[in-house]
Amino acid sequence: MKVLILAGGYGTRLSEETTLRPKPMVEIGGKPILWHIMKIYSHYGYYDFIIMLGYKGFYIKEYFANYFLHQCDVTMDIKNNSMEIHTNAAEPWRVTLVDTGVESMTGGRIKRVQNYVGNEQFMLTYGDGVTNVNINDMVRYHNSHQGSITMLSSQPDGRFGALSIGDNGRVSRFLEKPKGDGGWVNSGFFICNANVFDYIQPNDQVVFEDEPLKSLAHNGELYAFQYDGFWKPMDTLRDKIYLEDLWQQKCAPWKVW
């Protein structure tokens, strides 16, 4: 099954990093977060990736074009213009890099790679979030129902402590950063049947999370895989620092490999 990764947005809420490189290339533990996402999928046996490029997409192309240089010990013979690779630390990945337009929205990017996917089931995610969900559990759940798409759904942690306040103003209970307000959110990991493409109009300005997902839900085709384990998007510098701290402390929950 192919894994589609959205990697073309501007990442404006992480502008401290994304003025220089695309958001999926922002590093956690010295590796792009895109690498971490791909390692999660490959741990469960999925090695065929389609990466949808946009803003500064050439950085991602150059990263994979020079993957051996990033991962291996090499000897370069300048005189003979040759290079010897001493260790093979490459991953068993097949990576298709597709320019889907700098200004394209998520639905437009997905629609542009339809020919690379064909008429088969596929996975979809964003290039900025990590989780420790068992991907194969999601696949089994998806295949157990009749819907066209399964979405990972989580309850994000609150940013602030919560108070339970009585009528007289007395605080009866304090919770330090509880789970969110009880709502389940789109966590950005999807299992999709090929007919999901039929819900996306051939228009670069289509937002996948808008009309396509709303129509799928209206038609009873959208299912949620509710998960109370670890999931974290890297939306802001605060998120990046949090993920980096987890990695440096050697307790990164998403490191399942």
Side-chain angles (χ1 to χ4, degrees):
M1 195 185 308
K2 292 181 174 64
V3 181
L4 279 58
I5 303 179
L6 288 156
Y10 284 102
T12 53
R13 285 180 289 183
L14 193 57
S15 59
E16 299 90 345
E17 294 274 356
T18 55
T19 54
L20 301 175
R21 52 189 165 180
K23 191 176 181 183
M25 294 303 293
V26 174
E27 294 183 351
I28 302 297
K31 303 284 190 184
I33 193 168
L34 178 61
W35 178 89
H36 291 262
I37 295 167
M38 295 169 73
K39 286 288 286 185
I40 293 170
Y41 279 104
S42 61
H43 173 74
Y44 293 103
Y46 305 98
Y47 307 114
D48 195 348
F49 297 93
I50 299 174
I51 302 178
M52 293 164 277
L53 307 178
Y55 172 70
K56 294 186 182 294
F58 62 91
Y59 276 86
I60 299 176
K61 285 185 177 180
E62 290 179 353
Y63 176 76
F64 287 106
N66 296 301
Y67 193 83
F68 279 111
L69 289 178
H70 292 283
Q71 302 294 123
C72 305
D73 296 331
V74 297
T75 296
M76 296 185 180
D77 188 330
I78 305 300
K79 179 180 178 180
N80 296 310
N81 191 28
S82 64
M83 180 175 69
E84 180 183 357
I85 298 171
H86 297 291
T87 57
N88 185 358
E91 307 291 341
W93 296 341
R94 184 176 187 269
V95 184
T96 302
L97 302 163
V98 183
D99 288 312
T100 56
V102 175
E103 302 296 337
S104 298
M105 305 304 286
T106 49
R109 297 189 192 283
I110 296 166
K111 189 68 173 180
R112 282 210 192 189
V113 301
Q114 182 174 359
N115 290 339
Y116 291 95
V117 178
N119 189 31
E120 62 182 53
Q121 202 173 75
F122 64 95
M123 298 186 184
L124 170 69
T125 193
Y126 304 103
D128 64 354
V130 288
T131 181
N132 62 355
V133 69
N134 186 313
I135 299 295
N136 287 330
D137 284 349
M138 279 193 69
V139 174
R140 283 188 285 269
Y141 174 73
H142 178 76
N143 291 331
S144 73
H145 61 68
Q146 300 301 310
S148 296
I149 183 169
T150 295
M151 168 199 297
L152 181 68
S153 183
S154 306
Q155 290 182 297
D157 291 333
R159 283 190 58 190
F160 307 103
L163 304 178
S164 178
I165 303 174
D167 293 338
N168 60 0
R170 178 179 294 169
V171 176
S172 60
R173 188 171 55 153
F174 175 80
L175 297 175
E176 174 59 17
K177 296 183 180 179
K179 287 287 186 182
D181 59 5
W184 292 83
V185 302
N186 168 18
S187 301
F189 288 77
F190 303 88
I191 315 295
C192 308
N193 292 345
N195 70 314
V196 167
F197 285 114
D198 298 335
Y199 284 83
I200 307 173
Q201 296 298 315
N203 182 336
D204 285 345
Q205 296 309 302
V206 172
V207 178
F208 182 64
E209 300 78 10
D210 193 0
E211 189 59 34
L213 282 186
K214 289 178 180 177
S215 295
L216 283 158
H218 180 266
N219 293 341
E221 295 291 319
L222 174 61
Y223 283 71
F225 185 85
Q226 294 177 289
Y227 183 63
D228 59 5
F230 180 85
W231 164 73
K232 185 69 175 178
M234 190 182 65
D235 284 334
T236 65
L237 184 60
R238 176 191 181 98
D239 298 329
K240 193 265 186 190
I241 293 171
Y242 174 72
L243 293 173
E244 182 69 34
D245 286 345
L246 289 176
W247 186 267
Q248 295 303 330
Q249 294 167 20
K250 301 187 186 305
C251 58
W254 70 90
K255 189 181 183 302
V256 293
W257 60 89

